[in-house]
Amino acid sequence: MWPDPDLKVASLVSNGQHPKSGRSRRASQDARAVELGLKMAGAASRVIHVGDGDREGGLDQYLGMGLPEITLLNADEQADAVPVLLEYLKGASFDIVLTGVHAEQGEASGMVPYLLAEQLGWPLVSHIADIRKVEGGRAEVLQALPRGQRRLLRVPLPFIATVDSAAADARQYAFGAARRGRLVDAITDAPVDQARQEWTCAPAKPRPKRLHVAKAKSAADRFKAATAKPQGQGGSVIREGTDQEKATAIMELLVSEGVVR
Amino acid sequence: MLPEWLLPALVIMALGLFAIGALRRILLWRAGRPEPVRLIAGLMAMPRRYLVDLHHVVARDKAMSNTHVATAGGFVLSMLLIIPVHVFGLDSRWLTLPLLVSTIIMFTGAVFVYRRRRNPPARLSKGPWMRLPKSLLTFSASFFLLTLLASDVLPENFGHWVLTGVLLIGVTLGLAELLFGMGWGGPMKHAFAGALHLAFHRRPERFGGGRSTGLKPVDLDGMLGVAEPSDFKWNQLLGFDACVQCGRCEAVCPAFAAGQPLNPKKLIQDMVVGLAGGTDAHYAGSPYPGRDVGQAQGSPHQPIVDGLVSAETLWSCTTCRACVEECPMMIEHVDAIVDMRRHLTLERGETPNKGAEVLDNLIATDNPGGYEPDSRMNWAADLALPLMADKQVADVLFWVSDGCFDMRSQRILRAFVKILKAANVDFAVLGNEECDSGDVARRLGDDATFQTLARHNVATLRKYRFSRIVTTDPHAFHVLKNEYGDFGGHYDVMHHSTFINELVTQGRIQLDRFKGGAVTYHDPCYLGRYNGEYESPRALLAALGIQVSEMERSGYRSRCCGGGGGAPITDIPGEHRIADMRVDDARKVEAETIAVACQQCTAMLEGVVEPRPEIRDLAELVAEGLIVDAAGPASTATARPSLAEEVH
């Protein structure tokens, strides 16, 4: 059934950063979002970037995946991306908006999709691995859970989804396609991110990691230790009961953990 | 008697048809992209290129060379004499006698062609080529007898008109093959296209004993590689048409022998199908292993990949250049393959298997493994290597290459450093400033990344003063020496085998005798065929007291290890592995050690399961055999104190 040209899919992309060299590149998860978009809607899928339009590295690599263009919402370094995106998305009529889980540089808080979903009033599905099909205004979404587990969700359109590293690899980018690709400016008003003005930024220090001591005696045990779901870390699985009861249980947990006060 | 005008008319008609066919052929070539050539100078140089350079290659098969000289020489001479004698009717003994002699020569040659065709080796194409010796015999015999009859050598009215008639049929058949066929795509096309190919060869430097092996750069603002036959330069198309289908390329191609879907001869023939339009149904040689003949179909403006050839065919090539070295027509197979790969990578983004990942790593980290760019010197943490950034000036710049990330290659690098120190060479390395040479990126078709790396390296090298670059990696050696010139980098580059051999002949290091068993030497393609260095490694082994047991295929005919051209990265499946076949070559000469001079060859050959001969780089063998003077080099007047270099 893919690609479905009637489906309106947009992927939000950011400039990535290579973990070893720190060089600018396409962000790994954002590129997977673009890949998923291309799979679902082909050349009709849209790609949106908020930034100053510097093509070096990142944007060129997205264009090299075979996109004819990227919609550029012009904003400088100090701008807050969320209101810019919000305004643009309100004006357009997308069915599915895809993002990475979080950016590879800058704040990388992973909050953008949540803030957008909240203000658009759309559902948000996090860490998806694939979208199986879209039928009758609902999409079958495959959500990635730890240790290779998957959960199939049915989500009404429109929605926002963050694409996990478990999604299909992004295709190779080609120099020729990047050379042909264009950035299309959309006129936007980019307000300054006031909160960030007061922050001071410093490079993160690598923190020591706690070594996991494997007590396994045999290869089978080691395999189990590496793959099995960790047991006995508290919590419980609630299958019975109404949605109200389940929501109450979650709320109680959040209060007890101090997440909600 | 038959009418007098019949024979001249036949010859003139054949010549005319040839001319029309030839013009049509020339127009087919001109569909390619423009490439300036030296028209007059090329044509003037052509006879010499044919008689000297081409026959230098043909003469590797002595019998075939003599056969060709007799047949082709006889034919050209006969044709030149047939026109005055039979068209203009000049009746002079000075013309008829030489014509008789030349047809006899041609006939003799054709007999040998015929004999070879009776039981032809697998590499030869069959089909219309099986007809050719008969046509040659018919042509030469008919013209001999006709000339004899028409001349005053024999008494008047000797010839019976029936005999003359039969001879005229023979003449017609012969002319049809040799003149009509030459212009209209018959086997004799090779003579006409081949002559022009020699005149307008894209690498004229190859003639007169020269060497031209560096790939030509892509104009990154222009067309990226070759998508359709008409995207080739016109003289590349001409080159494809020159192919005689002798199959020497096929016989030496490592990918073909390994059962990967590549056959250089078929590839060139598919390009001919592409430039002329049609299908490969008439191809009568060996197919691509595992692929049927008859599927390929193309025209000058149709995409090549998935019409004429499959992408796997292009990615099977190890760029070892064995086919180019062996081709008597001096066709450039590797250039064509890389041109088509460029389209696949730069336009389609379809580099198979690990290709995309390797290119991605090269772009992001300047090394194919994706290692941290700042960890380039970790292998030499305890060696205190002098850095170019500190020294600014050094006699030798040691180009470490990406071997620094590989633990096996590090042993070669450390061995070489030991030699450099023992010989008190004034050297330095670039350290983290060095980037990948771009060899793999270029051969995977990503000339954009190659050019970025090349420009970066050229800019880095420009900062320092050194008299030469020495490297243990033949791929980096080739690229630095032959391919950086297009980006403003002209250096005196040496491979470590040449350099160490120089140290030995200058007496700067003393070597003990090698104590192992029989040793054979594997010529790396990028050192041997690409750069003509066959002697130094052997001289070096001789200096170690080693009598090299040469493998059947060595020197310019060395069989590739399978590691070049990104072949291990694209990893196209075959029936055998190329490295296994190479180690079998070494087993045949009962070698206990294979001496190599390339880290890629080391990796490939060591990947062969044991028991197999031990794989040792020349640097390792030399470092093991170094005689280190107990008093140390500091005691001699000329040497520098080695400590002063290390501590700075």
Side-chain angles (χ1 to χ4, degrees), chain A residues 190-203:
Chain A
V192 172
D193 188 346
Q194 292 299 342
R196 200 164 63 186
Q197 296 298 303
E198 294 153 25
W199 301 350
T200 43
C201 293

Side-chain angles (χ1 to χ4, degrees), chain B residues 259-433:
Chain B
Q260 289 172 277
L262 170 64
N263 174 353
K265 180 174 85 174
K266 173 81 163 72
L267 181 83
I268 298 299
Q269 284 313 305
D270 282 348
M271 296 301 115
V272 173
V273 167
L275 80 92
T279 72
D280 68 341
H282 300 298
Y283 174 73
S286 320
Y288 297 126
R291 308 279 159 112
D292 291 334
V293 171
Q295 314 293 318
Q297 183 265 327
S299 77
H301 297 288
Q302 244 172 293
I304 294 175
V305 173
D306 297 332
L308 277 172
V309 298
S310 71
E312 286 81 42
T313 295
L314 302 177
W315 295 113
S316 294
C317 175
T318 66
T319 69
C320 75
R321 247 185 119 76
C323 48
V324 183
E325 180 72 38
E326 207 69 13
C327 180
M329 279 299 189
M330 309 186 109
I331 296 169
E332 296 282 345
H333 313 64
V334 175
D335 281 357
I337 288 174
V338 173
D339 277 341
M340 291 184 274
R341 284 185 180 186
R342 284 169 171 172
H343 171 73
L344 289 179
T345 294
L346 291 174
E347 279 292 351
R348 293 207 201 171
E350 288 173 4
T351 322
N353 289 329
K354 289 283 168 188
E357 190 183 319
V358 165
L359 294 175
D360 208 14
N361 286 336
L362 282 167
I363 291 168
T365 61
D366 301 329
N367 66 72
Y371 298 101
E372 234 163 282
D374 288 342
S375 63
R376 275 195 169 265
M377 287 301 283
N378 289 7
W379 68 278
D382 58 336
L383 294 178
L385 294 187
L387 283 178
M388 218 58 207
D390 299 331
K391 287 185 62 150
Q392 296 292 325
V393 185
D395 181 32
V396 167
L397 188 147
F398 171 27
W399 186 272
V400 176
S401 84
D402 293 322
C404 63
F405 294 111
D406 173 61
M407 292 174 85
R408 175 64 183 91
S409 306
Q410 286 169 11
R411 274 160 48 201
I412 302 171
L413 295 172
R414 295 178 73 89
F416 184 57
V417 168
K418 187 180 166 193
I419 298 163
L420 286 172
K421 288 187 172 172
N424 268 305
V425 175
D426 170 31
F427 76 101
V429 296
L430 287 172
N432 289 334
E433 285 186 287

Side-chain angles (χ1 to χ4, degrees), chain A residues 21 23 172-173 175-176 179-180, chain B residues 220 222 346 351 360 364 366:
Chain A
S21 66
R23 225 170 268 176
Q172 185 181 359
Y173 47 87
F175 179 84
R179 198 177 59 169
R180 276 191 302 276
Chain B
L220 294 178
L346 291 174
T351 322
D360 208 14
D366 301 329

Side-chain angles (χ1 to χ4, degrees), chain A residues 81-217:
Chain A
V82 175
V84 183
L85 282 169
L86 197 63
E87 201 185 303
Y88 183 79
L89 292 178
K90 272 181 181 161
S93 56
F94 291 113
D95 296 323
I96 301 173
V97 173
L98 301 169
T99 74
V101 173
H102 61 75
E104 292 180 351
Q105 56 179 348
E107 284 176 48
S109 63
M111 284 298 285
V112 170
Y114 289 91
L115 293 170
L116 289 175
E118 184 186 30
Q119 294 183 45
L120 288 167
W122 292 4
L124 179 126
V125 193
S126 73
H127 294 91
I128 69 164
D130 197 7
I131 296 181
R132 290 275 194 79
K133 59 179 174 185
V134 179
E135 240 171 31
R138 292 167 81 84
E140 264 187 22
V141 180
L142 204 60
Q143 193 178 35
L145 300 175
R147 289 164 206 280
Q149 298 178 88
R150 298 285 183 271
R151 174 159 57 196
L152 193 62
L153 303 168
R154 259 176 220 96
V155 189
L157 302 178
F159 66 91
I160 295 185
T162 64
V163 177
D164 191 80
S165 301
D169 268 334
R171 67 191 62 186
Q172 185 181 359
Y173 47 87
F175 179 84
R179 198 177 59 169
R180 276 191 302 276
R182 292 177 307 129
L183 294 185
V184 180
D185 286 1
I187 307 299
T188 47
D189 186 23
V192 172
D193 188 346
Q194 292 299 342
R196 200 164 63 186
Q197 296 298 303
E198 294 153 25
W199 301 350
T200 43
C201 293
K205 277 189 206 127
R207 270 186 282 178
K209 261 191 201 152
R210 184 180 292 274
L211 282 177
H212 178 68
V213 183
K215 296 186 200 80
K217 292 247 165 27

Side-chain angles (χ1 to χ4, degrees), chain B residues 449-528:
Chain B
T449 303
F450 167 77
Q451 291 188 18
T452 311
L453 291 167
R455 290 209 168 85
H456 186 277
N457 282 328
V458 168
T460 306
L461 290 169
R462 195 171 285 144
K463 292 195 289 186
Y464 305 117
R465 284 194 292 135
F466 49 87
S467 54
R468 57 192 166 184
I469 302 175
V470 178
T471 177
T472 56
D473 176 10
H475 295 263
F477 166 61
H478 166 70
V479 168
L480 284 164
K481 186 174 171 222
N482 301 321
E483 296 188 353
Y484 275 18
D486 293 320
F487 308 95
H490 301 276
Y491 314 106
D492 182 4
V493 193
M494 261 182 158
H495 185 249
H496 73 311
S497 59
T498 320
F499 183 73
I500 300 172
N501 190 41
E502 200 181 279
L503 294 180
V504 172
T505 48
Q506 288 172 353
R508 290 172 73 181
I509 49 173
Q510 309 295 323
L511 298 181
D512 205 356
R513 289 184 73 81
F514 177 71
K515 290 177 195 71
V519 178
T520 188
Y521 172 66
H522 164 75
D523 287 274
C525 310
Y526 277 72
L527 183 63

Side-chain angles (χ1 to χ4, degrees), chain B residues 58-86:
Chain B
V58 179
R60 290 172 188 170
D61 182 349
K62 213 64 200 162
M64 196 51 225
S65 161
N66 293 338
T67 305
H68 192 257
V69 168
T71 321
F75 168 64
V76 171
L77 202 59
S78 305
M79 220 38 239
L80 289 176
L81 291 165
I82 282 168
I83 294 170
V85 172
H86 291 298

